[in-house]
mmCIF file with all atom_site columns, all heavy atoms in Angstrom:
data_model
loop_
_atom_site.group_PDB
_atom_site.id
_atom_site.type_symbol
_atom_site.label_atom_id
_atom_site.label_alt_id
_atom_site.label_comp_id
_atom_site.label_asym_id
_atom_site.label_entity_id
_atom_site.label_seq_id
_atom_site.pdbx_PDB_ins_code
_atom_site.Cartn_x
_atom_site.Cartn_y
_atom_site.Cartn_z
_atom_site.occupancy
_atom_site.B_iso_or_equiv
_atom_site.pdbx_formal_charge
_atom_site.auth_seq_id
_atom_site.auth_comp_id
_atom_site.auth_asym_id
_atom_site.auth_atom_id
_atom_site.pdbx_PDB_model_num
ATOM 1  N N   . VAL A 1 93  ? -67.088 -55.748 166.781 1.00 93.00 ? 232 VAL A N   1
ATOM 2  C CA  . VAL A 1 93  ? -67.803 -56.932 166.298 1.00 93.00 ? 232 VAL A CA  1
ATOM 3  C C   . VAL A 1 93  ? -68.587 -57.542 167.456 1.00 93.00 ? 232 VAL A C   1
ATOM 4  O O   . VAL A 1 93  ? -68.016 -57.848 168.509 1.00 93.00 ? 232 VAL A O   1
ATOM 5  C CB  . VAL A 1 93  ? -66.819 -57.967 165.715 1.00 93.00 ? 232 VAL A CB  1
ATOM 6  C CG1 . VAL A 1 93  ? -67.553 -59.272 165.393 1.00 93.00 ? 232 VAL A CG1 1
ATOM 7  C CG2 . VAL A 1 93  ? -66.156 -57.416 164.459 1.00 93.00 ? 232 VAL A CG2 1
ATOM 8  N N   . GLY A 1 94  ? -69.890 -57.728 167.256 1.00 90.00 ? 233 GLY A N   1
ATOM 9  C CA  . GLY A 1 94  ? -70.723 -58.215 168.345 1.00 90.00 ? 233 GLY A CA  1
ATOM 10 C C   . GLY A 1 94  ? -71.402 -59.542 168.088 1.00 90.00 ? 233 GLY A C   1
ATOM 11 O O   . GLY A 1 94  ? -71.738 -60.257 169.028 1.00 90.00 ? 233 GLY A O   1
ATOM 12 N N   . ARG A 1 95  ? -71.616 -59.898 166.809 1.00 90.00 ? 234 ARG A N   1
ATOM 13 C CA  . ARG A 1 95  ? -72.406 -61.099 166.507 1.00 90.00 ? 234 ARG A CA  1
ATOM 14 C C   . ARG A 1 95  ? -71.570 -62.369 166.379 1.00 90.00 ? 234 ARG A C   1
ATOM 15 O O   . ARG A 1 95  ? -72.131 -63.468 166.331 1.00 90.00 ? 234 ARG A O   1
ATOM 16 C CB  . ARG A 1 95  ? -73.195 -60.892 165.211 1.00 90.00 ? 234 ARG A CB  1
ATOM 17 C CG  . ARG A 1 95  ? -74.291 -59.849 165.293 1.00 90.00 ? 234 ARG A CG  1
ATOM 18 C CD  . ARG A 1 95  ? -75.223 -59.939 164.091 1.00 90.00 ? 234 ARG A CD  1
ATOM 19 N NE  . ARG A 1 95  ? -74.521 -59.708 162.833 1.00 90.00 ? 234 ARG A NE  1
ATOM 20 C CZ  . ARG A 1 95  ? -74.554 -60.544 161.802 1.00 90.00 ? 234 ARG A CZ  1
ATOM 21 N NH1 . ARG A 1 95  ? -75.225 -61.680 161.881 1.00 90.00 ? 234 ARG A NH1 1
ATOM 22 N NH2 . ARG A 1 95  ? -73.909 -60.243 160.690 1.00 90.00 ? 234 ARG A NH2 1
ATOM 23 N N   . PHE A 1 96  ? -70.261 -62.229 166.280 1.00 93.00 ? 235 PHE A N   1
ATOM 24 C CA  . PHE A 1 96  ? -69.416 -63.397 166.029 1.00 93.00 ? 235 PHE A CA  1
ATOM 25 C C   . PHE A 1 96  ? -68.259 -63.433 167.009 1.00 93.00 ? 235 PHE A C   1
ATOM 26 O O   . PHE A 1 96  ? -67.769 -62.394 167.446 1.00 93.00 ? 235 PHE A O   1
ATOM 27 C CB  . PHE A 1 96  ? -68.878 -63.358 164.589 1.00 93.00 ? 235 PHE A CB  1
ATOM 28 C CG  . PHE A 1 96  ? -69.953 -63.375 163.541 1.00 93.00 ? 235 PHE A CG  1
ATOM 29 C CD1 . PHE A 1 96  ? -70.458 -62.182 163.029 1.00 93.00 ? 235 PHE A CD1 1
ATOM 30 C CD2 . PHE A 1 96  ? -70.478 -64.568 163.078 1.00 93.00 ? 235 PHE A CD2 1
ATOM 31 C CE1 . PHE A 1 96  ? -71.455 -62.186 162.068 1.00 93.00 ? 235 PHE A CE1 1
ATOM 32 C CE2 . PHE A 1 96  ? -71.474 -64.584 162.125 1.00 93.00 ? 235 PHE A CE2 1
ATOM 33 C CZ  . PHE A 1 96  ? -71.972 -63.395 161.618 1.00 93.00 ? 235 PHE A CZ  1
ATOM 34 N N   . ARG A 1 97  ? -67.813 -64.644 167.304 1.00 93.00 ? 236 ARG A N   1
ATOM 35 C CA  . ARG A 1 97  ? -66.643 -64.787 168.161 1.00 93.00 ? 236 ARG A CA  1
ATOM 36 C C   . ARG A 1 97  ? -65.685 -65.826 167.574 1.00 93.00 ? 236 ARG A C   1
ATOM 37 O O   . ARG A 1 97  ? -66.072 -66.630 166.703 1.00 93.00 ? 236 ARG A O   1
ATOM 38 C CB  . ARG A 1 97  ? -67.045 -65.169 169.587 1.00 93.00 ? 236 ARG A CB  1
ATOM 39 C CG  . ARG A 1 97  ? -67.692 -66.511 169.768 1.00 93.00 ? 236 ARG A CG  1
ATOM 40 C CD  . ARG A 1 97  ? -67.973 -66.754 171.253 1.00 93.00 ? 236 ARG A CD  1
ATOM 41 N NE  . ARG A 1 97  ? -68.467 -68.085 171.532 1.00 93.00 ? 236 ARG A NE  1
ATOM 42 C CZ  . ARG A 1 97  ? -69.735 -68.426 171.543 1.00 93.00 ? 236 ARG A CZ  1
ATOM 43 N NH1 . ARG A 1 97  ? -70.661 -67.508 171.273 1.00 93.00 ? 236 ARG A NH1 1
ATOM 44 N NH2 . ARG A 1 97  ? -70.096 -69.667 171.818 1.00 93.00 ? 236 ARG A NH2 1
ATOM 45 N N   . VAL A 1 98  ? -64.480 -65.816 168.056 1.00 96.00 ? 237 VAL A N   1
ATOM 46 C CA  . VAL A 1 98  ? -63.442 -66.708 167.552 1.00 96.00 ? 237 VAL A CA  1
ATOM 47 C C   . VAL A 1 98  ? -63.880 -68.167 167.715 1.00 96.00 ? 237 VAL A C   1
ATOM 48 O O   . VAL A 1 98  ? -64.447 -68.549 168.732 1.00 96.00 ? 237 VAL A O   1
ATOM 49 C CB  . VAL A 1 98  ? -62.114 -66.454 168.298 1.00 96.00 ? 237 VAL A CB  1
ATOM 50 C CG1 . VAL A 1 98  ? -61.070 -67.512 167.942 1.00 96.00 ? 237 VAL A CG1 1
ATOM 51 C CG2 . VAL A 1 98  ? -61.582 -65.066 167.966 1.00 96.00 ? 237 VAL A CG2 1
ATOM 52 N N   . GLY A 1 99  ? -63.615 -68.954 166.678 1.00 95.00 ? 238 GLY A N   1
ATOM 53 C CA  . GLY A 1 99  ? -63.944 -70.372 166.703 1.00 95.00 ? 238 GLY A CA  1
ATOM 54 C C   . GLY A 1 99  ? -65.255 -70.737 166.046 1.00 95.00 ? 238 GLY A C   1
ATOM 55 O O   . GLY A 1 99  ? -65.536 -71.926 165.828 1.00 95.00 ? 238 GLY A O   1
ATOM 56 N N   . LYS A 1 100 ? -66.078 -69.751 165.691 1.00 95.00 ? 239 LYS A N   1
ATOM 57 C CA  . LYS A 1 100 ? -67.384 -70.021 165.102 1.00 95.00 ? 239 LYS A CA  1
ATOM 58 C C   . LYS A 1 100 ? -67.297 -70.095 163.569 1.00 95.00 ? 239 LYS A C   1
ATOM 59 O O   . LYS A 1 100 ? -66.563 -69.328 162.944 1.00 95.00 ? 239 LYS A O   1
ATOM 60 C CB  . LYS A 1 100 ? -68.383 -68.933 165.502 1.00 95.00 ? 239 LYS A CB  1
ATOM 61 C CG  . LYS A 1 100 ? -68.778 -68.997 166.973 1.00 95.00 ? 239 LYS A CG  1
ATOM 62 C CD  . LYS A 1 100 ? -69.474 -70.317 167.283 1.00 95.00 ? 239 LYS A CD  1
ATOM 63 C CE  . LYS A 1 100 ? -69.951 -70.371 168.721 1.00 95.00 ? 239 LYS A CE  1
ATOM 64 N NZ  . LYS A 1 100 ? -70.635 -71.656 169.011 1.00 95.00 ? 239 LYS A NZ  1
ATOM 65 N N   . PRO A 1 101 ? -68.076 -70.990 162.948 1.00 96.00 ? 240 PRO A N   1
ATOM 66 C CA  . PRO A 1 101 ? -68.105 -71.059 161.482 1.00 96.00 ? 240 PRO A CA  1
ATOM 67 C C   . PRO A 1 101 ? -68.928 -69.920 160.902 1.00 96.00 ? 240 PRO A C   1
ATOM 68 O O   . PRO A 1 101 ? -69.970 -69.553 161.450 1.00 96.00 ? 240 PRO A O   1
ATOM 69 C CB  . PRO A 1 101 ? -68.750 -72.420 161.206 1.00 96.00 ? 240 PRO A CB  1
ATOM 70 C CG  . PRO A 1 101 ? -69.602 -72.680 162.412 1.00 96.00 ? 240 PRO A CG  1
ATOM 71 C CD  . PRO A 1 101 ? -68.900 -72.050 163.575 1.00 96.00 ? 240 PRO A CD  1
ATOM 72 N N   . VAL A 1 102 ? -68.472 -69.382 159.784 1.00 96.00 ? 241 VAL A N   1
ATOM 73 C CA  . VAL A 1 102 ? -69.113 -68.206 159.201 1.00 96.00 ? 241 VAL A CA  1
ATOM 74 C C   . VAL A 1 102 ? -68.964 -68.246 157.692 1.00 96.00 ? 241 VAL A C   1
ATOM 75 O O   . VAL A 1 102 ? -68.046 -68.877 157.150 1.00 96.00 ? 241 VAL A O   1
ATOM 76 C CB  . VAL A 1 102 ? -68.477 -66.917 159.777 1.00 96.00 ? 241 VAL A CB  1
ATOM 77 C CG1 . VAL A 1 102 ? -67.035 -66.776 159.306 1.00 96.00 ? 241 VAL A CG1 1
ATOM 78 C CG2 . VAL A 1 102 ? -69.280 -65.684 159.425 1.00 96.00 ? 241 VAL A CG2 1
ATOM 79 N N   . THR A 1 103 ? -69.878 -67.597 157.004 1.00 94.00 ? 242 THR A N   1
ATOM 80 C CA  . THR A 1 103 ? -69.787 -67.450 155.557 1.00 94.00 ? 242 THR A CA  1
ATOM 81 C C   . THR A 1 103 ? -70.174 -66.031 155.184 1.00 94.00 ? 242 THR A C   1
ATOM 82 O O   . THR A 1 103 ? -70.847 -65.329 155.948 1.00 94.00 ? 242 THR A O   1
ATOM 83 C CB  . THR A 1 103 ? -70.696 -68.465 154.828 1.00 94.00 ? 242 THR A CB  1
ATOM 84 O OG1 . THR A 1 103 ? -70.451 -68.392 153.414 1.00 94.00 ? 242 THR A OG1 1
ATOM 85 C CG2 . THR A 1 103 ? -72.169 -68.174 155.088 1.00 94.00 ? 242 THR A CG2 1
ATOM 86 N N   . GLY A 1 104 ? -69.755 -65.601 153.992 1.00 90.00 ? 243 GLY A N   1
ATOM 87 C CA  . GLY A 1 104 ? -70.094 -64.253 153.543 1.00 90.00 ? 243 GLY A CA  1
ATOM 88 C C   . GLY A 1 104 ? -69.362 -63.919 152.260 1.00 90.00 ? 243 GLY A C   1
ATOM 89 O O   . GLY A 1 104 ? -68.590 -64.724 151.728 1.00 90.00 ? 243 GLY A O   1
#
Side-chain angles (χ1 to χ4, degrees):
V232 172
R234 293 193 299 126
F235 299 93
R236 65 178 186 270
V237 171
K239 289 298 183 180
V241 67
T242 187

